[in-house]
Amino acid sequence: EVQLVESGGGLVQPGGSLRLSCAASGFTFSDPYMDWVRQAPGKGLEWVGRTANKAASYTTEYAASVKGRFTISRDDSKNSLYLQMNSLKTEDTAVYYCRGGYWSSGSMDVWGKGTTVTVSS
Amino acid sequence: DIQMTQSPSSLSASVGDRVTITCRASQGIRNDLGWFQQKPGKAPKRLIYAASSLQSGVPSRFSGSVSGTEFTLTISSLQPEDFATYYCLQYNSYPYTFGQGTKLEIK
């Protein structure tokens, strides 16, 4: 079964750091680009960023709201995706989803169930 | 950044109705657009990719179309399980951007 499972969410104070993980199974993790998408309470979806695959040199792209504070990485040997979040703000409070697949093709589009990050003092 | 203007923000309809949801891109994005359905407490589920291609396993009552920079999701005959929130996403250029969402409610 194709699956993504996020972990690492929790409560953190403003200015703090948190690292989210996403464990993949059921597909060749090293192939697709991988994304993080978040959803603040009662709000819409926001694309956070993505990492490319090895063939594209693991390049990363980010939303302006997180650029310079968040870092996306992957470890293909561990079938894992990561989101390092630094200098957290209250507005970063959200459910964070990892997502894998191909945007332009129907071959795969898999999402995790999400992990909740709460930034509050 | 490309802005995606989605309308309406909410919609009340009955089982069996035909409904349309629209997203307008602030600039040309070719056909680089997907439509997603999200139910409360669940992850999004892709319905349409490349503006008009149906994701495998998605019922054929869902369809997508495009005219210039205006993209439309149509549900031909609403079923009870279709009441949810719908989002478009452009993946033509970074940063990728979602529409604001359309909450489809039972009339």
Side-chain angles (χ1 to χ4, degrees):
Chain A
E1 180 191 4
V2 175
Q3 194 173 11
L4 294 172
V5 179
E6 303 93 339
S7 60
L11 175 64
V12 61
Q13 292 188 336
S17 297
L18 207 59
R19 189 196 198 204
L20 305 184
S21 299
C22 173
S25 59
F27 65 99
T28 305
F29 177 75
S30 58
D31 282 350
Y33 290 18
M34 297 292 298
D35 301 78
W36 286 97
V37 174
R38 70 183 180 181
Q39 186 168 37
K43 302 297 184 181
L45 300 170
E46 180 186 16
W47 179 81
V48 172
R50 69 92 171 127
T51 175
N53 54 19
K54 183 178 181 180
S57 303
Y58 300 121
T59 57
T60 53
E61 298 282 350
Y62 298 94
S65 59
V66 306
K67 198 169 187 177
R69 300 187 299 122
F70 289 13
T71 302
I72 298 173
S73 61
R74 63 194 294 168
D75 185 335
D76 292 343
S77 68
K78 295 183 178 179
N79 288 347
S80 292
L81 175 71
Y82 304 102
L83 179 64
Q84 177 67 44
M85 303 185 294
N86 298 331
S87 303
L88 282 160
K89 305 175 181 180
T90 55
E91 52 264 41
D92 295 319
T93 294
V95 175
Y96 285 74
Y97 297 100
C98 69
R99 179 265 172 199
Y102 305 92
W103 292 113
S104 297
S105 121
S107 58
M108 187 175 77
D109 182 71
V110 57
W111 295 67
K113 293 183 177 181
T115 188
T116 299
V117 173
T118 303
V119 184
S120 175
S121 54
Chain B
D1 296 1
I2 296 174
Q3 309 303 315
M4 301 302 299
T5 303
Q6 185 171 343
S7 60
S9 56
S10 63
L11 178 59
S12 293
S14 302
V15 173
D17 283 354
R18 178 184 179 91
V19 301
T20 60
I21 299 168
T22 298
C23 270
R24 178 171 280 113
S26 59
Q27 63 190 71
I29 59 170
R30 302 184 306 182
N31 285 354
D32 298 335
L33 182 124
W35 287 99
F36 295 81
Q37 176 193 68
Q38 188 181 34
K39 295 182 178 179
K42 300 294 187 181
K45 171 188 174 183
R46 188 166 69 179
L47 306 173
I48 301 287
Y49 65 96
S52 60
S53 296
L54 191 67
Q55 185 73 28
S56 176
V58 173
S60 59
R61 63 181 179 273
F62 292 93
S63 64
S65 62
V66 55
S67 176
T69 59
E70 185 169 291
F71 298 81
T72 301
L73 173 70
T74 300
I75 310 173
S76 60
S77 178
L78 274 174
Q79 299 301 301
E81 61 268 28
D82 299 338
F83 293 94
T85 301
Y86 294 83
Y87 296 92
C88 63
L89 168 75
Q90 72 79 19
Y91 48 84
N92 176 262
S93 63
Y94 297 110
Y96 294 169
T97 42
F98 285 93
Q100 301 94 322
T102 296
K103 187 173 184 179
L104 180 52
E105 299 174 307
I106 300 173
K107 184 183 288 184

